[in-house]
Amino acid sequence: MQEMVNVFLYGKKYTVPADLTIMTAMEYAGYKLVRGCGCRHGFCGACATIYRIKGNNELKTCLACQTQVVDGMYVASLPFFPTDKRSYDIEEIRPEQKIMMELYPEIYSCIGCNACTKGCSQSLNVMQYIAYAQRGEFEKCAEESFDCVNCGICTSRCPAGISHPMVGLLARRLTGKYIAPKSEHLKKRVEEINKGAFDDLIAKIMEKPIEEMKELYNKRDIEE
Amino acid sequence: MFTAEMLESIKKVEATRAERIGYEPRRMTAEEKDTLLRQYHPDFREDGFSIIQIGPNKGEKAPVELCTLLHSNSRIKDENIDLSKIDYDVDVLVIGGGGAGSSAAIEANENGANVMIVTKLRIGDANTMMAEGGIQAADKENDSPQQHYLDAFGGGHFAARPELLRRLVMEAPDAIAWLNNLGVMFDKNEDGTMITTHGGGTSRKRMHACKDYSGAEIMRVLRDEVINREIPVIDFTAAVELILDKNGQAAGAVLQNMETGEYLVARAKTVIIATGGAGRLHYQNFPTSNHYGATADGLIMGYRAGAPLLYQDTIQYHPTGVAYPIQIFGALVTEKVRSLGAMLVNIDGEAFMHPLETRDVCAASIIRECSDRGKGIPTPTGGMGVWLDTPMIEMIHGEGTIERRIPAMLRMYLNYNIDMRKQPILIYPTLHYQNGGLEINGEGFTKAIDNLLVAGEAVGGIHGRNRLMGNSLLDIIVFGRNAGKAAAKKSKTVSLSELSLEHINSYAKKLEAAGIETDTVSPMLLPKYTR
Ligand SMILES: Cc1cc2nc3c(=O)[nH]c(=O)nc-3n(C[C@H](O)[C@H](O)[C@H](O)COP(=O)(O)OP(=O)(O)OC[C@H]3O[C@@H](n4cnc5c(N)ncnc54)[C@H](O)[C@@H]3O)c2cc1C
Ligand code: SF4
Ligand code: SF4
Ligand code: FES
C-alpha cells in the first residue's frame, strides 16, 4: 500500500501519496495548473508557495515543484507577486554606487530583519546581497545572488518594500558587462570572422562529400 | 533515502572508484555506435512512430503522439472568430517568450520594428531557463568555426543543412559577445579567458557556461532587456492558430487567454514562431526534462498553415535524467557532471562506456545496460537506472568543485537528502530535445509561407538528426537574432490583404478526405496531469 498523507490546499483537505511534491499533489487533487507552474524543476521561480504545518506556527516558503508534501501541510501558492522593476539602458548606466541609489533607493531602508534570507527558496543570503548592493559592491552582490530564480518570496516578506531579485539582476548585469575582465580571445575571434578569415575554410568544409566528412570526423583529434 | 539494494550496489561502485580514476574507457567505433543505436535508441523503435497522413510531410513518419496532434482538429474549428476585430496590430509578432523569442524581439526592436511577444506562460517559463550546461562557440586559439562545424555535422549524423550550420558556427562568437555585452556573466578566469569545457561529441573545449545556471542566466538577462526596451509582452496567452491573408502570406495569429479562454486577434506583417520543444508530449512514455508548456504548438500551427517539417522523426533523449528520487523523476542532470569527470557505472561498479560519447549513443548504451545486459539498478517505482559516479569529480578536481561548478545540481539533490559529493546519483535517459521542426532557409523564413519565420527549438535542420550539448542555446541566439532582424526588415515592405482562416477549413477537409475522425484538438497548450 502506498503511504498517504493529508494536505490542505487552499484550506481544503486532500489525501495524497506521500512521495509527491506540492505541485504534483495539487495535480493529483485535480487542480489543472495554469499559473504557478513553469519549469517544474526548480529553475524558473513560477511556483513560489507558502505553507504551515499543523501545530507549528512557523510560516514557511518554498518552490512547489521542489518540495515534498508532509502530513498536515497547509498550502497556498503565490503565483504572482508584484515586484517592482525599474527600467534602464544598460549602455548608458555605469557600475557606480549612485546607480543603485537612483534606481532602487529603497534598499537603503532595509531594517536588517533578515526575513528575506529566511524566506529564500534557494537558501541565498539575500540580506547580505542587498547589503553589498547598498555599498556599490556589485561583483559581490552578483556572486551572492547568482542562484536567484526570481520567485519573489523575499519581496513578499520585506517590510522595506524592496524588490530583491531586481536589485540582484541589476548588479549581475553590471558585473557581466562592465566589471568582469574582458575576453580578448573572444574579441579577436569575432574580428577575424568579420574580416572573412574563415570564409574560405568554412566554404571548403561545406563542399566536401559526405564520405570525406565521415573520414575527417572519425579521425579528428580530440583536445585532452 | 536510497534503498537497501542501491546501497549494496553503491559499495561496489566505491570499491572500483580508485581504479576508475585516471582510466579512460575506450570510445566506440563508428560501426559499434551504429549497431548500438539501431538496437537500443528509442528513435529506432517502430511502435513509437506512425505515418503522417496529410499535409506537406504526408507519407513520412513522426512520433505517434505528434502524429495524433497533426491529425487533430483545430481548437477554433467551430469558433466564430471575427477577424475584422483586431486586438493587436504590429509589425512583428513573436510567438513564444523563451530565448529565441526574446532575442528575436530585442533585435526587431533594435531594427525599428513595432514588435510584440505573446507567450503561453510567463516570459522565461521556457526550456531556455532550464539549460544548465552551457553554450558552444569556437573562440579559442586551438579552435575554429570549421572545427565546430565538423563536430556538429558528425554529431548530427551528417544530416544538418549546411547553410544553417554554417551560420550557427560562424555567428557563434558574436552571439557570445552580444550576450556578454548585455551583461550575461560567463565563467571566466581572472585574465578574462572564458572557462570552457568539453561536451559530449566536442573535439575542443568550447562549452561556455554560467555555472550550471547557463540558460537561466541568459534568459533572465534577455527578459530584463525586453522589459527595459518596453517591448509589449502578453503573458498567459497562447497562439492557437496562425492567420494568413487572402494571398497566403502570414498575417498574424489567433490568441487565447489561458485563464479566461477569450480569443483575441493579432495582426502582424511578419510572424516569428519561437514556441520551443515537445518534451511534454512524453513520446514513448518517457519522462522529460522540458518545461510545462513544451507541447510542440508551433509545429502544429505551422504545419496546419502549410509549412513543412524536417526531421520530425528524430528526438533527443538526454542520457542523464533523474531516475531516483521520484519527486524529481525526469529532471535533467547536466552533461557537465560528466564533463567534470563523473563516470557512468552499472550495478556491479563497472564503467560500461566512455562518459563523453554523443547523447544518442550514451542514452542507447544506458538503455542496453538496463535491459538486455541486466546491469541496471531497479527503483521502487518499477524503473531502472545506472549510477553517475559524482564523488569522482571532487577526487579529480578537488573538494568544493561541485558546489562551485554545479550548484543547481547539488541543491536539487540535497532537497532530498542526497549529497552527490559523497554518493553517486541514479540516472536514466529523459526526453530532452526536439531535433526536428519546421524547415527554414538561412534567413529564418519558412520556405512555404511568406513572412513566416521560425527560430529556436521549433526549427528543424540546424543540427541534423542529433544535437550536441551547447549548440541549442547557441542556435536560439544566432537564429533568434537573425529572425528578429529579418522580420523587422521584411515588415517594412509587406502589405497585407484581408485576413483569413481558410487554411483551417482546408486542413479539416483533408483530414476528412483521409478518413481521419478524431475528437482531439491541437495545439495541445498544456499537458494533462490531473488524475
Ligand atoms: C533541462 C534542459 C537543459 C538544457 N541544457 C542545455 C544546455 O546546457 N545547452 C544547450 O545548448 N541547450 C540546452 N537545452 C536546450 C535548450 O535550452 C532549448 O532547446 C532552447 O532553450 C529552446 O529555446 P526556445 O526559445 O526555442 O524555446 P523555449 O525556451 O522553450 O521557449 C518557448 C516559449 O514558447 C512559449 N510557447 C509555447 N507554445 C506557445 C503558444 N502556443 N503560444 C505562445 N507561446 C508559446 C513557451 O511558453 C515558451 O515561453 C536544455 C534544455 C532543457 C529542457
Ligand atoms: S533571492 Fe528572493 S527571488 Fe531570488 S530565489 Fe531567493 S527568495 Fe526567490
Ligand atoms: S526583508 Fe527587507 S528589510 Fe528585512 S533584511 Fe531583507 S531587505 Fe532588509
Ligand atoms: S515550476 Fe519552475 S521553479 Fe517550480
Side-chain angles (χ1 to χ4, degrees):
Chain A
M1 248 297 280
Q2 200 170 18
E3 195 196 331
M4 305 292 278
V5 292
N6 292 323
V7 292
F8 299 82
L9 306 175
Y10 303 110
K12 198 163 179 221
K13 182 170 152 189
Y14 296 92
T15 306
V16 304
D19 57 12
L20 299 182
T21 59
I22 293 175
M23 182 174 283
T24 49
M26 292 184 83
E27 290 171 337
Y28 182 91
Y31 287 86
K32 173 140 185 146
L33 303 174
V34 174
R35 268 179 203 269
C37 184
C39 67
R40 301 177 75 96
H41 292 155
F43 286 89
C44 74
C47 62
T49 297
I50 37 184
Y51 67 93
R52 202 166 235 154
I53 313 278
K54 204 175 176 142
N56 186 334
N57 74 343
E58 200 185 348
L59 190 58
K60 298 199 174 198
T61 47
C62 69
L63 296 175
C65 68
Q66 294 298 296
T67 309
Q68 199 168 340
V69 289
V70 180
D71 195 46
M73 203 179 217
Y74 280 80
V75 178
S77 56
L78 258 189
F80 175 77
F81 189 86
T83 42
D84 191 8
K85 187 197 133 45
R86 313 285 150 74
S87 288
Y88 51 86
D89 182 342
I90 190 74
E91 296 298 332
E92 297 294 316
I93 61 172
R94 290 290 172 269
E96 292 155 4
Q97 196 180 353
K98 72 171 204 281
I99 190 67
M100 276 294 171
M101 288 180 196
E102 276 167 25
L103 289 173
Y104 294 104
E106 64 274 25
I107 61 173
Y108 297 96
S109 318
C110 167
I111 57 164
C113 67
N114 215 20
C116 48
T117 304
K118 280 192 212 130
C120 179
S121 65
Q122 294 280 88
S123 315
L124 305 181
N125 194 342
V126 189
M127 184 172 85
Q128 180 65 60
Y129 84 60
I130 294 299
Y132 287 137
Q134 287 170 347
R135 300 202 287 267
E137 295 181 288
F138 298 122
E139 215 176 340
K140 286 188 181 152
C141 178
E143 199 57 42
E144 198 74 43
S145 69
F146 195 83
D147 296 7
C148 172
V149 295
N150 213 33
C151 64
I153 291 174
C154 48
T155 305
S156 74
R157 313 201 91 182
C158 178
I162 295 169
S163 290
H164 317 66
M166 302 308 165
V167 173
L169 182 55
L170 173 59
R172 291 193 301 276
R173 287 190 71 179
L174 287 169
T175 304
K177 183 172 174 65
Y178 294 108
I179 303 173
K182 300 271 169 282
S183 302
E184 289 309 322
H185 61 96
L186 176 63
K187 188 160 161 259
K188 187 166 158 237
R189 181 55 47 87
V190 172
E191 281 165 11
E192 286 168 351
I193 291 176
N194 289 344
K195 272 192 283 173
F198 292 95
D199 289 358
D200 287 348
L201 294 160
I202 200 86
K204 237 182 236 152
I205 196 161
M206 283 173 70
E207 279 162 12
K208 289 198 196 302
I210 298 287
E211 281 318 308
E212 201 180 323
M213 284 297 276
K214 286 190 175 164
E215 184 76 14
L216 274 177
Y217 179 73
N218 291 327
K219 290 202 172 133
R220 74 206 199 285
D221 61 309
I222 294 179
E223 180 181 359
E224 283 297 316
Chain B
M1 193 77 199
F2 286 121
T3 64
E5 195 174 7
M6 291 174 189
L7 291 171
E8 201 49 46
S9 171
I10 289 180
K11 282 192 197 137
K12 295 184 188 163
V13 175
E14 283 168 350
T16 58
R17 191 173 288 145
E19 54 187 271
R20 281 186 286 104
I21 292 211
Y23 158 73
E24 200 180 330
R26 181 175 72 80
R27 286 184 194 253
M28 284 177 230
T29 65
E31 293 75 43
E32 280 170 331
K33 286 188 218 171
D34 206 49
T35 322
L36 178 74
L37 288 176
R38 277 173 200 289
Q39 255 179 317
Y40 296 99
H41 196 279
D43 276 2
F44 290 92
R45 279 193 65 128
E46 266 175 38
D47 57 0
F49 294 86
S50 47
I51 303 294
I52 304 174
Q53 304 290 337
I54 59 168
N57 294 80
K58 185 175 166 182
E60 294 178 17
K61 66 177 200 159
V64 174
E65 297 77 0
L66 182 63
C67 242
T68 304
L69 295 181
L70 291 172
H71 294 164
S72 305
N73 296 317
S74 169
R75 286 187 164 262
I76 54 171
K77 191 174 147 224
D78 299 318
E79 299 285 339
N80 220 336
I81 310 279
D82 181 1
L83 293 177
S84 66
K85 196 186 139 282
I86 291 170
D87 299 281
Y88 304 101
D89 204 359
V90 293
D91 295 338
V92 180
L93 173 67
V94 178
I95 305 176
S102 302
S103 44
I106 292 168
E107 289 289 15
N109 169 279
E110 181 71 24
N111 286 275
N114 165 12
V115 52
M116 173 177 110
I117 297 178
V118 40
T119 186
K120 186 160 61 178
L121 301 166
R122 304 176 310 172
I123 176 173
D125 289 347
N127 279 353
T128 305
M129 192 61 101
M130 309 172 74
E132 299 162 13
I135 172 167
Q136 289 199 44
D139 54 28
K140 295 243 165 124
E141 200 64 49
N142 69 343
D143 202 358
S144 66
Q146 70 269 22
Q147 192 71 23
H148 190 175
Y149 186 101
L150 181 63
D151 286 352
F153 198 60
H157 305 303
F158 308 93
R161 289 292 148 99
E163 171 57 17
L164 301 183
L165 188 51
R166 183 186 67 85
R167 273 186 184 257
L168 183 78
V169 300
M170 290 288 274
E171 294 174 27
D174 190 54
I176 302 284
W178 184 70
L179 290 172
N180 200 183
N181 271 328
L182 284 172
V184 168
M185 281 173 64
F186 286 104
D187 297 346
K188 291 177 181 180
N189 286 328
E190 266 156 36
D191 66 355
T193 315
M194 295 269 180
I195 299 176
T196 53
T197 49
H198 270 305
T202 54
S203 68
R204 297 289 182 275
K205 294 182 180 168
R206 71 168 79 85
M207 193 71 57
H208 301 59
C210 319
K211 305 195 183 178
D212 59 349
Y213 282 100
S214 304
E217 167 65 355
I218 291 172
M219 187 70 237
R220 61 200 181 187
V221 167
L222 292 177
R223 174 173 59 196
D224 197 50
E225 185 64 17
V226 165
I227 300 170
N228 277 348
R229 286 170 181 261
E230 291 169 10
I231 296 169
V233 179
I234 318 296
D235 276 341
F236 293 109
T237 303
V240 292
E241 283 309 342
L242 294 175
I243 298 171
L244 305 182
D245 74 355
K246 291 278 182 208
N247 301 327
Q249 334 177 57
V254 176
L255 315 178
Q256 185 174 28
N257 181 317
M258 293 290 284
E259 288 161 323
T260 64
E262 182 193 6
Y263 290 108
L264 299 154
V265 173
R267 179 166 67 185
K269 292 181 174 147
T270 51
V271 178
I272 304 177
I273 292 179
T275 50
R280 292 280 156 193
L281 299 186
H282 293 288
Y283 297 145
Q284 302 186 26
N285 274 325
F286 268 83
T288 185
S289 64
N290 284 194
H291 82 108
Y292 190 44
T295 50
D297 298 355
L299 271 49
I300 304 295
M301 289 186 278
Y303 195 76
R304 203 171 266 142
L309 297 167
L310 184 64
Y311 303 142
Q312 71 284 347
D313 58 338
T314 80
I315 318 311
Q316 183 164 84
Y317 296 85
H318 196 293
T320 58
V322 174
Y324 184 83
I326 181 189
Q327 292 82 13
I328 45 173
F329 184 52
L332 189 75
V333 175
T334 169
E335 194 161 304
K336 205 159 146 195
V337 178
R338 278 176 292 141
S339 23
L340 286 171
M343 272 181 155
L344 289 160
V345 180
N346 66 22
I347 192 164
D348 293 326
E350 300 155 349
F352 56 91
M353 66 171 298
H354 192 289
L356 291 180
E357 297 281 10
T358 50
R359 288 184 174 168
D360 49 353
V361 169
C362 199
S365 176
I366 294 167
I367 293 171
R368 175 172 67 183
E369 212 65 16
C370 291
S371 56
D372 290 0
R373 286 189 175 172
K375 297 265 190 170
I377 299 99
T379 66
T381 43
M384 278 280 178
V386 296
W387 297 113
L388 187 52
D389 197 7
T390 44
M392 289 178 71
I393 296 176
E394 306 238 313
M395 288 172 76
I396 298 170
H397 300 285
E399 237 171 82
T401 307
I402 290 184
E403 190 173 2
R404 208 169 52 247
R405 301 288 297 277
I406 42 176
M409 287 295 96
L410 179 64
R411 176 177 289 118
M412 180 169 88
Y413 277 99
L414 281 177
N415 274 339
Y416 301 98
N417 295 323
I418 293 173
D419 186 343
M420 65 192 290
R421 293 169 293 199
K422 303 204 173 76
Q423 285 179 314
I425 54 180
L426 204 62
I427 57 91
Y428 191 78
T430 185
L431 175 50
H432 186 58
Y433 186 76
Q434 153 187 291
N435 291 321
L438 296 163
E439 194 174 354
I440 55 167
N441 67 17
E443 290 291 319
F445 289 94
T446 57
K447 294 175 180 173
I449 303 168
D450 280 347
N451 311 330
L452 178 63
L453 301 90
V454 191
E457 196 170 336
V459 174
I462 302 171
H463 311 283
R465 296 183 153 270
N466 176 52
R467 168 186 66 88
L468 299 189
M469 169 193 183
N471 275 349
S472 170
L473 280 182
L474 175 59
D475 95 48
I476 64 175
I477 305 301
V478 167
F479 289 91
R481 292 182 68 195
N482 276 337
K485 287 181 214 167
K489 186 163 164 229
K490 187 70 196 282
S491 70
K492 303 205 168 84
T493 65
V494 172
S495 60
L496 296 174
S497 64
E498 198 188 326
L499 304 190
S500 159
L501 288 168
E502 193 41 45
H503 65 282
I504 291 167
N505 298 332
S506 81
Y507 197 86
K509 286 199 192 102
K510 281 188 203 155
L511 276 176
E512 205 184 295
I516 297 169
E517 274 182 46
T518 169
D519 295 332
T520 333
V521 291
S522 63
M524 187 188 227
L525 305 185
L526 290 176
K528 186 174 180 294
Y529 290 138
T530 48
R531 208 167 26 135

